[in-house]
Amino acid sequence: MNNKYPSALLENAVNELASLPGVGRKTALRLALHILRRDVPYAESFAKAIVDLRREIKYCRVCHNICDEDICSICANPARDHSLVCVVENIKEVMAIENTGQFRGVYHVLGGIISPMDGIGPSDLQIDSLVERVKTGEVKEVILALSTTMEGDTTNFFIYRKLSPFDVKISVIARGVSIGDEIEYADEVTLGRSILNRTSFNDAIKL
Amino acid sequence: MNNKYPSALLENAVNELASLPGVGRKTALRLALHILRRDVPYAESFAKAIVDLRREIKYCRVCHNICDEDICSICANPARDHSLVCVVENIKEVMAIENTGQFRGVYHVLGGIISPMDGIGPSDLQIDSLVERVKTGEVKEVILALSTTMEGDTTNFFIYRKLSPFDVKISVIARGVSIGDEIEYADEVTLGRSILNRTSFNDAIKL
């Protein structure tokens, strides 16, 4: 569809909105028309939130999670177990794990995952700073909680090799059949892994 | 999901992004993280486009289409037939009809459709200004091109009654089976209407 916009301002706004992931030109036009229907203060506070986010955001000095201070609220919390570090790809995973309410340790946010296809190598990620954290001797266990993809496995192995000289336990989150899933529809690899890594029923009923 | 955001700036941006139609909190978070990965000038030009759109946009004095000047490029074009006015709900329909390349007249943008459920009455729409346009005697035909919904039919009828005292032809766009559609799957109302409003085959092959 060769859209001719009746206004250069509209075309410009549509171009910017369409630069967002998952937003095509048709959706961008719908969003722009929505903004047009609202009042000026709405557009201004919307725009301010975007600019403030990008300009003012800070990254935690310890775990590289995003935050408003120098150190994030998780790292600053003395009630958390600072000897247990969960390595995640991004802040979304931090939020997902925090929402489970099952983890009382701290995090280390890599800021991505090793992916040669996207030109992301180990030096683009916060792996050296993880090694530094482990070097201090404060960390007793590192939990690798990356995606179960080839890129995730590559990154896991890279981190494992980097940390193996140190006296630290390295674990990965359990792979298995999701809770609520039917065995019949579970994929073979997951099902096979869940049988190999079976847990004592005694332990399971305690959860 | 009770999301706890690690940063108030992020939460604020997510709230603003989630205020867009069709954007939930999960999508809003994805968009916010995308903006975080880009550089500051990107966020600034994004925000500027939004504010400029809302602040600077003008509406055409004649047809109420959005534009950057006092009169839109369609109304200002002497090559268009100014005696033929197509009434549409919104600017999206203007763009859709312009994209067909089949219409050489001008438009009248109502800015909505009569919808008591949403609290939109005739006085909220550009109906009086349409009557004024017709009153001048310049308009020979008004084409009603609103949606084929109950709201569209109500609005059509309201405009029809308002314009009936004047010497102007009032038409509606043809309803019928879409091009490329199979008769078997067309709904009964549309099929029935397309039989009642059949056109001469001679006329059809000329298109």
Side-chain angles (χ1 to χ4, degrees), chain A:
Chain A
M1 197 161 91
N2 173 31
N3 269 328
K4 267 189 64 188
Y5 295 94
S7 145
L9 291 165
L10 179 67
E11 186 167 6
N12 194 20
V14 168
N15 286 342
E16 293 288 352
L17 287 163
S19 74
L20 296 173
V23 177
R25 298 192 70 79
K26 267 201 158 174
T27 305
L29 177 62
R30 199 159 52 89
L31 298 182
L33 294 179
H34 167 83
I35 291 163
L36 268 180
R37 272 195 296 271
R38 303 286 302 263
D39 54 10
V40 173
Y42 169 79
E44 285 171 344
S45 82
F46 183 94
K48 189 173 180 301
I50 301 293
V51 172
D52 284 355
L53 172 69
R54 184 61 192 79
R55 263 202 214 135
E56 319 277 343
I57 204 83
K58 293 199 177 96
Y59 293 88
C60 174
R61 272 197 287 123
V62 180
C63 73
H64 309 285
N65 190 8
I66 66 170
C67 58
D68 299 336
E69 312 293 331
D70 276 353
I71 291 184
C72 78
S73 57
I74 296 170
C75 288
N77 187 348
R80 311 276 306 211
D81 182 355
H82 289 256
S83 70
L84 186 60
V85 174
C86 182
V87 175
V88 293
E89 184 179 338
N90 238 315
I91 167 239
K92 264 195 280 195
E93 285 79 37
V94 174
M95 288 172 63
I97 295 174
E98 283 299 286
N99 281 330
T100 68
Q102 300 286 327
F103 183 64
R104 299 306 301 160
V106 293
Y107 295 91
H108 192 87
V109 180
L110 294 179
I113 202 163
I114 296 174
S115 172
M117 293 280 281
D118 303 315
I120 302 172
S123 58
D124 299 315
L125 307 177
Q126 294 291 348
I127 293 177
D128 288 343
S129 60
L130 175 64
V131 174
E132 290 302 317
R133 271 178 95 173
V134 170
K135 243 184 210 166
T136 63
E138 266 180 37
V139 181
K140 292 209 183 79
E141 180 174 354
V142 169
I143 305 174
L144 301 171
L146 302 179
S147 298
T148 54
T149 57
M150 204 178 66
E151 287 82 5
D153 289 345
T154 306
T155 313
N156 277 343
F157 189 66
F158 187 88
I159 293 173
Y160 170 76
R161 282 211 314 195
K162 280 275 188 184
L163 295 184
S164 51
F166 304 101
D167 178 27
V168 64
K169 188 177 163 192
I170 302 170
S171 51
V172 287
I173 53 166
R175 318 299 197 194
V177 180
S178 294
I179 289 165
D181 262 16
E182 302 196 32
I183 298 289
E184 187 181 349
Y185 302 116
D187 70 286
E188 289 162 17
V189 180
T190 302
L191 192 56
R193 190 84 82 95
S194 77
I195 288 171
L196 287 177
N197 296 341
R198 63 195 174 277
T199 46
S200 150
F201 190 68
N202 244 339
D203 293 349
I205 53 174
K206 269 188 249 157
L207 290 177

Side-chain angles (χ1 to χ4, degrees), chain B residues 105-133:
Chain B
V106 293
Y107 295 93
H108 192 87
V109 180
L110 294 179
I113 202 162
I114 296 174
S115 172
M117 293 279 280
D118 303 314
I120 302 173
S123 58
D124 299 314
L125 307 177
Q126 293 291 350
I127 293 178
D128 288 344
S129 61
L130 175 65
V131 174
E132 290 302 315
R133 270 178 96 173

